[in-house]
Amino acid sequence: QTEDNSGQYTNYFLKNASSKQPSHWPSPNPECYDLMYDFTQEEVRDFFVNSVAIPIANSSNVKGLWFDDTDWIPCHNMCTGEPHGCKLYPCDNITQEKLFNGTVTWKQNIASYLNKNQQIPIFSSVNSWEESGCPFPEKKVTKELQDHSYGRFYEGWQGSCSEIANIQVEANSNIAVFVNNYGEINDYKVASFMMGAGNQSFFASCTCWTDPCTSWLPQYYDKPLGPPVGDGRVKNGTSQWTRQFQHAAVWLDCATQKAIINWNNNTPPVPYPGWTEYLCTACKDSPLKNVGVGLTPDQCMQDCVQNSSCTSINYAYGNGACMLFTHCTFMSEPGRSCTGDQWWTTFLRV
């Protein structure tokens, strides 16, 4: 602390745009609430790994290290204050890319050290496999780290469509996945994790960041599950996923965040009892009613049930469009690739 106050490490940190001083210098600074290492510099990366991370890793009973917000800054607009409310300088695209690459380099260095001691690092990240706001997507970062064992941490799991797809490809790439549900727990949050989880995937749920807020959830954790029969699969042209395990089966719709888990029974759930679903086709008859857009499948079905003349619906998962029909003649053979008018899904009442 004495060395910090004297300014010995001033150049180790990113500067805020207003004073060109370290982003949290001196403490407290109302503009930014945390010091941020400038990992564009080799000296800073070496200091962080050798003087911060490794001494902690060498402590007794440490199996690995968790690193928070590893790519938050270079994956956001550094000029506008997105990273932790700090407007940073410099903040151009070249600096942002150098900072991102420097972060990948220290990840390689610390992973190499930890792996030699049979430990792993866990990196909290906001990156995505294919497309993201980061200078490079996670797919490329994974290639840089392919010779190392490490984990990816999800803070505040929402179970979005993209998150499910992301943890699935990570698990299939032998990356350990750590998912934390921050807040209320429900079937959908658990089902969305189950849909993409692999052999080294872990789930927890808490209401704060300390141990007393993390509790055992017997309604989920004590249920028999067994190995998966295969990967979670998304139905063509929809936001619906299904997956079977030895002792359970899961269905979910990641757009509406509705989920069904069949425990002690690996028969695939029936998400819409009383209806038969036909993918990638539409009723070509004149509609009884064009209800509109922005509906869930349940809402569209309910409108049909309330109309005694309605026997079928066209539903679009993309925008929630809903149309009611008295009779239904398929526009095309169901179940083929969803192109043109085939982006509809048709439901017939049983």
Side-chain angles (χ1 to χ4, degrees):
Q1 182 177 5
T2 302
E3 292 173 335
D4 279 355
N5 290 336
S6 68
Q8 180 174 337
Y9 298 109
T10 302
N11 292 327
Y12 276 34
F13 303 103
L14 298 174
K15 309 299 190 296
N16 64 60
S18 57
S19 66
K20 307 300 187 294
Q21 293 296 313
S23 57
H24 189 72
W25 198 283
S27 176
N29 186 327
E31 181 181 345
C32 309
Y33 68 81
D34 205 358
L35 283 170
M36 304 177 192
Y37 284 100
D38 182 3
F39 290 125
T40 64
Q41 305 178 62
E42 182 178 3
E43 179 184 5
V44 175
R45 297 193 295 268
D46 291 343
F47 173 83
F48 180 75
V49 171
N50 297 316
S51 299
V52 179
I54 289 179
I56 298 175
N58 289 338
S59 302
S60 60
N61 300 320
V62 173
K63 302 299 182 182
L65 295 180
W66 174 74
F67 298 89
D68 196 10
D69 288 347
T70 60
D71 51 22
W72 180 273
I73 298 171
C75 289
H76 289 83
N77 191 320
M78 297 167 59
C79 300
T80 61
E82 277 189 300
H84 294 177
C86 298
K87 297 179 182 179
L88 301 172
Y89 175 86
C91 61
D92 55 89
N93 291 337
I94 294 177
T95 299
Q96 193 162 340
E97 184 173 321
K98 288 176 61 179
L99 183 61
F100 185 86
N101 289 338
T103 298
V104 174
T105 299
W106 74 252
K107 287 182 177 181
Q108 291 174 315
N109 294 342
I110 191 60
S112 179
Y113 180 86
L114 293 177
N115 289 172
K116 290 177 182 178
N117 294 330
Q118 297 184 324
Q119 300 169 307
I120 69 165
I122 302 172
F123 302 123
S124 178
S125 171
V126 295
N127 207 348
S128 297
W129 195 260
E130 294 288 353
E131 298 180 2
S132 70
C134 302
F136 300 106
E138 184 183 6
K139 184 177 182 179
K140 182 174 180 179
V141 175
T142 300
K143 290 182 179 180
E144 299 293 328
L145 295 170
Q146 63 183 350
D147 296 327
H148 304 90
S149 296
Y150 66 97
R152 158 75 186 268
F153 180 79
Y154 286 81
E155 178 180 320
W157 175 254
Q158 296 298 315
S160 66
C161 300
S162 59
E163 284 180 324
I164 296 171
N166 222 73
I167 67 167
Q168 183 181 75
V169 71
E170 287 169 339
N172 289 338
S173 300
N174 297 316
I175 299 172
V177 176
F178 297 81
V179 165
N180 182 65
N181 172 65
Y182 186 74
E184 182 181 353
I185 189 68
N186 55 45
D187 284 355
Y188 180 80
K189 296 291 184 68
V190 175
S192 57
F193 167 76
M194 293 169 66
M195 200 61 69
N199 186 47
Q200 292 294 315
S201 298
F202 305 88
F203 181 89
S205 183
C206 66
T207 54
C208 73
W209 295 121
T210 56
D211 285 344
C213 297
T214 303
S215 57
W216 188 259
L217 303 172
Q219 69 270 35
Y220 298 115
Y221 302 160
D222 289 349
K223 298 288 188 180
L225 184 61
V229 176
D231 283 348
R233 296 185 298 173
V234 62
K235 286 186 178 181
N236 190 17
T238 76
S239 50
Q240 297 182 37
W241 290 71
T242 57
R243 193 179 195 187
Q244 291 173 274
F245 296 82
Q246 183 179 3
H247 302 296
V250 188
W251 172 92
L252 63 81
D253 186 328
C254 59
T256 62
Q257 299 217 336
K258 175 181 178 179
I260 302 172
I261 305 174
N262 280 351
W263 298 108
N264 300 308
N265 179 359
N266 72 346
T267 302
V270 178
Y272 303 110
W275 296 84
T276 302
E277 181 182 31
Y278 297 90
L279 299 174
C280 305
T281 190
C283 302
K284 65 180 181 180
D285 310 84
S286 297
L288 174 66
K289 181 182 179 182
N290 188 346
V291 181
V293 299
L295 283 78
T296 66
D298 293 294
Q299 291 170 332
C300 187
M301 293 171 188
Q302 186 61 31
D303 277 349
C304 182
V305 170
Q306 293 175 351
N307 190 318
S308 59
S309 300
C310 182
T311 65
S312 50
I313 64 172
N314 281 352
Y315 182 78
Y317 284 95
N319 62 358
C322 172
M323 301 175 71
L324 312 185
F325 294 84
T326 302
H327 303 285
C328 182
T329 305
F330 288 145
M331 185 175 295
S332 57
E333 182 180 349
R336 294 188 175 181
S337 60
C338 296
T339 59
D341 291 330
Q342 298 171 4
W343 55 276
W344 289 97
T345 294
T346 297
F347 291 89
L348 303 184
R349 292 182 66 181
V350 178

